[in-house]
Amino acid sequence: MNDIEKKIRDKYIEMNDEAAPDMDALWSRIEEKLPEKDEETTPVTSKPRIKMNRIVSFAVPLAACIIAVIALPQLMNSADNSPSPIISDGNYAEDAQASPADEENSDNQVNDAADNAQAEQAEQIDQAQPSGDAQDTYRSALEAYGSTVEYEMLSLNPSETVSVKPAGIRGSDNSKYFVEDEVLESTQLFCRASVKDVYFSDGGDTVCYTLEADETIYRGTETDTEKKTITAIATVTNGEMFKDKSEYLLCENRTYLLPLRMENSVTDTYRIVFPYAPQIEITLDNYYIFHNGWNTLTDGEISDVICTSQGNDDFYYDRMKLCSAKEIKKLLEYWENS
Amino acid sequence: MFLQIFSQNRHKNAPPVRIFSNSDFIGDVHPAYTDGINVKDIIAMTDKDFQLHIRSVASGSKEALKLIYKEYGRMIYSAAFEVVKNRENAEDITSDFFIRLYTSAAATYTPGNGHKRWLASIAHNMAIDLLRRNSHEQLLDEDEESARQEIPDTDAPPDITVTDRITIAQAMQTLDDKERQIINLKFEADLTFRDIASVMKMPMGTVTWKYRSAIEKLRRCSDCE
């Protein structure tokens, strides 16, 4: 920041100072509306904070060592035995939920050793999320999360991908309306994959995703559970991304269930069948976020997902739902038989 | 590093402490932070500090929420105001923001991406949601009315030429909405361009370009040269 910018900044802050509201009065207003909670920790002060930091700095490596010696072999064994999440097995949903449960329980053990406060928070979050107990029977999204859940509350990997303003559905171009039967008809395979990289080619007209596929389901053939790296592409609707008119980008580090069709078998490149809407996103606890254009999925015990609008052209932010693997199984069966 | 601290009448009822390092302005801190605390502790709330505070908030500590409010309340208000352009709505958003933080959002905080970006992002989204809830016609009316109310100097000429000497408030009126929001997030929240791009869901190139464009327009402010 150069001198001119610093002067402008100071003048700007000064201008805002004059127009700022009475922050103390505003706090009083906020305080009046705060609901009563049972406080679980001592009030925050600077000195205990420092002590806590010291405790954490010693306890975390210690807990990590304990986990490495005792828990890690068990975790690895359970990971080796864990079934593929989408395989059409009657018990897959139950099994799939048991796996994150074990990890969560282990995480809590680490937290207990490292920091009691963190463990308490984990328990609190745990109450809002589906129970991870391996003894639990199958739970629908409705049962696990209730009728509505905020997108930010869902268990998702952090992502650095900057979502740009989506094009969504526009004008009279019928090809951009999501019609489930048409999408399924064009879908040659469903792929459960994590996004490893997002980049643009063709001068910004094509968005490319490097995907790590852990499960691929071909119509009429067996499910391929071999892990492989593939490329998925989508043409950007309105030209270069810097026009702020791109598709609903997939986020790096997140996992999706993608309807694809083959683009180039030599380079193992696939095309996303319908990129003009959010793709089916998979949470870490194996629930599926989808828009209500997927008619087959909306029949089950699902929850509404409250999302933040991506802009005026975002036609999907208030149409997002959450379902379990049970509904996904129905969708895949419908696709197989269609 | 030499640190100099002195108070200045910044807010009507809560003058903050203004911190300088070798005559460079570092930031403002609410006086509540200065009582018996080392200078190094009050320069800014670190991610680690924030993590501890927000964890306490998630556990039900109003005291921790107040500390976060004192540090970032003004930033949240300002970020909301630049979107809704209405003082009353911006205060409502700030109020709802901290209530939401207390009731649910605090538990969802994930360290690692910068707490200021997280806070600014929620505030920005809440402001946009409010705009969307209101009808388009209502918004236009409110914008015009609030623009008249919020800008003290209404004598700005309709056509400002490049050579005119204008106040910072007038200069800000020459910016478009996105430019104003970017300037706000840069100056008030002290976010990086990458953070701003994330908050506003824009490509970083667009953010930097718009920032430069805004700075060029603001250079015409007579006090800024």
Side-chain angles (χ1 to χ4, degrees):
Chain A
M1 195 178 280
N2 59 34
D3 288 344
I4 293 284
E5 287 174 61
K6 284 177 184 172
K7 279 184 186 174
I8 293 171
R9 179 193 60 189
D10 290 347
K11 283 291 167 190
Y12 177 80
I13 289 171
E14 198 176 294
M15 178 190 76
N16 281 357
D17 289 344
E18 292 167 9
D22 183 340
M23 297 306 286
D24 284 346
L26 186 53
W27 170 252
S28 303
R29 192 173 130 192
I30 294 167
E31 203 171 19
E32 281 173 13
K33 292 182 188 171
L34 289 178
E36 284 303 323
K37 272 188 184 180
D38 292 332
E39 196 168 332
E40 295 169 10
T41 58
T42 53
V44 177
T45 56
S46 55
K47 284 184 179 178
R49 239 169 45 208
I50 294 167
K51 284 179 183 173
M52 182 66 78
N53 286 344
R54 285 178 184 166
I55 292 166
V56 170
S57 67
F58 284 110
V60 167
L62 183 65
C65 290
I66 293 168
I67 289 297
V69 171
I70 299 170
L72 202 58
Q74 292 175 15
L75 282 175
M76 288 176 73
N77 285 337
S78 69
D80 291 341
N81 296 330
S82 62
S84 182
I86 319 178
I87 293 174
S88 302
D89 174 87
N91 297 321
Y92 66 97
E94 188 178 335
D95 294 337
Q97 284 192 34
S99 180
D102 293 340
E103 290 171 20
E104 197 164 331
N105 287 339
S106 298
D107 285 347
N108 283 349
Q109 286 172 15
V110 177
N111 290 341
D112 282 340
D115 185 350
N116 283 333
Q118 195 169 3
E120 285 166 11
Q121 188 199 6
E123 283 167 16
Q124 195 177 44
I125 295 170
D126 199 33
Q127 288 170 5
Q129 296 182 348
S131 167
D133 196 320
Q135 299 303 314
D136 267 4
T137 53
Y138 161 77
R139 297 180 79 191
S140 69
L142 187 65
E143 192 182 357
Y145 284 96
S147 58
T148 57
V149 58
E150 289 191 34
Y151 181 81
E152 290 165 2
M153 287 290 288
L154 294 172
S155 180
L156 296 164
N157 275 331
S159 177
E160 287 292 318
T161 304
V162 177
S163 297
V164 291
K165 191 178 178 185
I169 305 170
R170 278 184 171 277
S172 58
D173 186 351
N174 288 332
S175 67
K176 290 175 188 169
Y177 284 92
F178 183 94
V179 180
E180 185 188 79
D181 285 344
E182 289 176 7
V183 171
L184 291 179
E185 191 180 338
S186 302
T187 300
Q188 294 174 339
L189 63 151
F190 272 94
C191 182
R192 180 190 169 107
S194 303
V195 181
K196 295 301 169 190
D197 193 18
V198 184
Y199 57 96
F200 287 79
S201 68
D202 299 338
D205 287 343
T206 301
V207 59
C208 306
Y209 303 101
T210 304
L211 304 174
E212 191 175 279
D214 56 16
E215 190 168 12
T216 311
I217 305 159
Y218 298 93
R219 193 203 295 261
T221 57
E222 289 183 356
T223 299
D224 181 4
T225 54
E226 185 187 348
K227 290 196 179 196
K228 57 183 177 180
T229 302
I230 62 170
T231 301
I233 61 169
T235 304
V236 177
T237 318
N238 296 306
E240 55 177 320
M241 68 174 292
F242 294 106
K243 299 287 186 190
D244 294 350
K245 294 282 184 188
S246 187
E247 317 297 344
Y248 290 85
L249 290 184
L250 303 182
C251 293
E252 208 173 331
N253 289 333
R254 302 269 174 88
T255 306
Y256 297 86
L257 179 64
L258 300 168
L260 302 173
R261 58 189 165 88
M262 178 63 77
E263 179 77 7
N264 187 327
S265 59
V266 177
T267 57
D268 218 8
T269 302
Y270 300 83
R271 182 170 285 276
I272 293 174
V273 172
F274 194 89
Y276 317 113
Q279 302 300 316
I280 299 173
E281 189 172 2
I282 307 172
T283 66
L284 294 174
D285 50 355
N286 210 40
Y287 285 87
Y288 294 73
I289 307 161
F290 66 98
H291 62 78
N292 64 1
W294 291 101
N295 296 328
T296 308
L297 296 178
T298 55
D299 285 344
E301 294 181 347
I302 61 174
S303 307
D304 291 331
V305 179
I306 301 168
C307 295
T308 303
S309 166
Q310 303 288 304
N312 291 333
D313 293 334
D314 187 354
F315 290 87
Y316 286 94
Y317 81 100
D318 55 352
R319 298 171 54 189
M320 301 307 290
K321 312 286 179 187
L322 186 75
C323 72
S324 69
K326 182 181 176 186
E327 282 80 22
I328 294 293
K329 184 188 169 192
K330 276 197 287 184
L331 172 70
L332 294 175
E333 284 173 354
Y334 180 71
W335 169 64
E336 288 272 5
N337 297 323
S338 63
Chain B
M1 184 169 69
F2 173 72
L3 291 173
Q4 184 187 5
I5 303 176
F6 63 91
S7 293
Q8 184 176 311
N9 283 330
R10 179 166 165 163
H11 299 306
K12 287 162 192 160
N13 296 324
V17 174
R18 189 155 261 213
I19 304 175
F20 288 80
S21 168
N22 296 332
S23 80
D24 275 339
F25 174 68
I26 292 177
D28 286 350
V29 179
H30 193 275
Y33 279 85
T34 64
D35 295 334
I37 302 174
N38 189 289
V39 169
K40 286 181 181 175
D41 294 335
I42 64 171
I43 288 175
M45 190 182 282
T46 64
D47 276 346
K48 210 167 188 177
D49 290 336
F50 182 80
Q51 197 180 338
L52 288 165
H53 290 318
I54 202 73
R55 197 180 295 160
S56 298
V57 172
S59 302
S61 169
K62 290 181 183 176
E63 186 67 25
L65 183 73
K66 191 174 183 181
L67 288 172
I68 293 171
Y69 173 83
K70 284 180 173 178
E71 182 84 8
Y72 297 115
R74 155 78 183 261
M75 180 191 98
I76 299 301
Y77 168 84
S78 186
F81 180 81
E82 286 301 347
V83 175
V84 298
K85 299 187 194 128
N86 176 292
R87 174 180 289 205
E88 201 172 294
N89 286 344
E91 286 185 18
D92 287 345
I93 290 166
T94 308
S95 172
D96 291 346
F97 174 94
F98 282 96
I99 292 167
R100 183 174 161 189
L101 199 65
Y102 183 73
T103 53
S104 61
T108 68
Y109 175 69
T110 308
N113 287 330
H115 64 282
K116 279 197 291 188
R117 182 170 95 176
W118 184 71
L119 292 169
S121 191
I122 295 174
H124 188 81
N125 290 338
M126 287 176 74
I128 287 175
D129 281 348
L130 183 74
L131 281 185
R132 289 181 66 94
R133 281 201 297 272
N134 295 332
S135 70
H136 185 63
E137 288 76 16
Q138 278 178 325
L139 275 176
L140 287 176
D141 293 339
E142 283 174 10
D143 287 351
E144 287 169 8
E145 193 179 336
S146 61
R148 282 196 295 273
Q149 285 175 353
E150 303 299 340
I151 305 302
D153 187 350
T154 55
D155 295 327
D159 296 316
I160 300 169
T161 61
V162 177
T163 55
D164 287 335
R165 289 287 176 265
I166 56 177
T167 66
I168 184 75
Q170 288 172 320
M172 285 299 294
Q173 290 305 299
T174 65
L175 308 187
D176 65 33
D177 287 349
K178 295 292 181 197
E179 288 172 340
R180 287 173 66 97
Q181 290 164 22
I182 289 167
I183 286 292
N184 176 265
L185 291 172
K186 186 70 184 164
F187 289 167
E188 278 284 354
D190 197 25
L191 295 184
T192 63
F193 290 124
R194 186 183 179 85
D195 287 344
I196 295 170
S198 171
V199 170
M200 296 185 67
K201 299 178 177 64
M202 294 169 72
M204 200 168 80
T206 308
V207 170
T208 51
W209 185 83
K210 280 187 172 292
Y211 173 77
R212 290 291 155 214
S213 168
I215 289 295
E216 279 308 307
K217 292 176 185 174
L218 294 176
R219 282 171 71 113
R220 292 150 50 189
C221 160
S222 58
D223 299 330
C224 301
E225 292 187 5

